[in-house]
Amino acid sequence: MPTLKPKLAMYWAASCGGCEIALANINEALLEVDAYFDFMFCPCLLDTKRADIEALPDGAIFLTLFNGALRTEENLEMAELLRRKSQLFVAFGACAASGGIPALANQHGIGHVLETVFRSSASVDNAAGPIPGGSSPVPGGELELPAFLQRVLAVHEAVTVDYTMPGCPPEPEQIVAVIRHVASGNPLPENGTLLGCTARAVCDQCGREKRGSLAARLARPFEAVPEAGWCLAEQGFPCIGTATHGGCGALCPAVAMPCTGCYGALDRNADPGAAALSALAAVVDPGESGGKAEADIHARLRSALAGVADPLGTFYRYNLAATVVADRSPEVEP
Ligand code: SF4
Ligand code: SF4
């Protein structure tokens, strides 16, 4: 007899699998998921095939949690397919929401990315072998690998997204809260709402004290041991909790690791990289002149940048796909 439970799908595109692990980490609450939903598609866990999804009527899936960025044509096709088949489509995790780590590749031209990753990197032995985007003879037959898109896309750049759950990955208790809300039948929030995070900064959940002091310079986490209980940013570590949505429980600063911004920029209208840089520049000592003059501001920014080994990877770590710098010409062409 066919199940009457609403169908739940989870899909990974360009992802690391951490978002699936986050779902598995809801532990016994998985029984609630099973009680309410027909969890019918999840390539990591279930053997449902793409053809099974294609055979469903449009809108047959109640809720799809789509994680991972769009790197390949197959990722894009699956996003379009699942969007069509789903009533609610959620960009789940930082990669889906804003490109995540995969989108850092967008600073390079696609030819350079393919050549580096599939041919010339030290751990690859494939000097003249296949790269994604064609058919290649392999022992036992032909291997077809999906072509890469010219640049990594956040999911909302390709299909309409109803809700976004930020995080790298979203925290299990936030996943449980969202699933319980859906299962309760209570009205859903307005389309476009961020789910599973707070409207306040990570600092709001952080146990470290802000003392109002300024750091002489920024340093990488391995360069010094931070003092317990004191704000990492004020100690000169690049913690961007001030500019980042809370909801994670400030887990990273709790173990002396600076917040890297995975829950997304607090100000959705601001450029996230600029907001992160601005947050750090605000804790750098401007010197003796008071810090208000334009020259002092420039000095702060220079000082903040000087202590950060990888500015793009620090300030745009999770969101290079969908920002004002996303469409600029890649630095390195093939
Ligand atoms: S958001 Fe984080 S955990 Fe999820 S797929 Fe991307 S890198 Fe992995
Ligand atoms: S900047 Fe970082 S360490 Fe400081 S209070 Fe905010 S989250 Fe905590």
Side-chain angles (χ1 to χ4, degrees):
M1 203 172 97
T3 176
L4 296 176
K5 293 191 282 189
K7 294 187 190 315
L8 171 68
M10 185 170 195
Y11 188 74
W12 51 8
S15 77
C16 73
C19 282
E20 273 78 8
I21 292 173
L23 182 71
N25 278 348
I26 71 174
N27 299 323
E28 65 274 15
L30 276 170
L31 298 175
E32 294 178 43
V33 173
D34 183 57
Y36 184 74
F37 291 106
D38 170 20
F39 191 15
M40 45 70 71
F41 185 51
C42 183
C44 171
L45 298 170
L46 306 168
D47 195 29
T48 319
K49 305 297 189 201
R50 174 172 168 165
D52 300 324
I53 303 301
E54 287 169 335
L56 293 171
D58 287 358
I61 300 171
F62 179 63
L63 171 64
T64 287
L65 305 175
F66 192 100
N67 73 83
L70 306 183
R71 169 74 282 182
T72 68
E73 286 180 356
E74 182 189 46
N75 299 154
L76 178 59
E77 288 164 16
M78 288 305 296
E80 290 170 345
L81 175 65
L82 285 163
R83 171 64 280 187
R84 207 163 59 245
K85 303 296 178 182
S86 306
Q87 295 171 40
L88 295 176
F89 186 95
V90 175
F92 186 89
C95 294
S98 49
I101 300 294
L104 287 172
N106 287 355
Q107 63 192 290
H108 303 292
I110 185 64
H112 176 79
V113 170
L114 291 170
E115 182 64 26
T116 304
V117 175
F118 293 97
R119 291 230 169 103
S120 63
S121 75
S123 58
V124 171
D125 179 12
N126 186 39
I131 58 172
S135 181
S136 308
V138 293
E142 286 284 315
L143 175 66
E144 282 196 25
L145 296 174
F148 272 34
L149 303 173
Q150 285 299 305
R151 67 178 182 88
V152 174
L153 302 176
V155 178
H156 70 82
E157 295 182 276
V159 300
T160 302
V161 167
D162 297 310
Y163 301 109
T164 296
M165 277 191 78
C168 182
E171 281 303 310
E173 60 271 23
Q174 298 286 12
I175 300 171
V176 171
V178 168
I179 285 174
R180 282 185 181 150
H181 183 91
V182 172
S184 74
N186 289 328
L188 295 169
E190 196 180 321
N191 262 35
T193 302
L194 286 179
L195 303 179
C197 65
T198 69
R200 301 180 69 105
V202 174
C203 303
D204 201 47
Q205 298 181 309
C206 179
R208 292 179 175 270
E209 179 193 11
K210 286 192 175 173
R211 300 176 185 168
S213 55
L214 297 171
R217 62 182 283 272
L218 290 177
R220 300 174 79 185
F222 65 83
E223 291 184 70
V225 177
E227 183 181 318
W230 181 17
C231 171
L232 293 170
E234 289 188 359
Q235 295 185 66
F237 297 100
C239 185
I240 57 173
T242 321
T244 303
H245 268 291
C248 58
L251 296 173
C252 296
V255 292
M257 286 307 295
C259 168
T260 56
C262 76
Y263 263 59
L266 195 55
D267 181 353
R268 291 178 83 182
N269 297 316
D271 177 77
L277 173 57
S278 171
L280 287 183
V283 296
V284 175
D285 190 344
E288 295 177 357
S289 57
K292 295 277 195 308
E294 193 168 330
D296 292 326
I297 293 169
H298 287 172
R300 280 190 197 221
L301 292 172
R302 271 196 302 276
S303 177
L305 284 167
V308 174
D310 174 15
L312 203 65
T314 300
F315 303 120
Y316 290 97
R317 181 167 302 187
Y318 301 100
N319 45 45
L320 196 54
T323 55
V324 290
V325 295
D327 289 325
R328 63 186 284 277
S329 297
E331 279 171 12
V332 182
E333 290 296 348

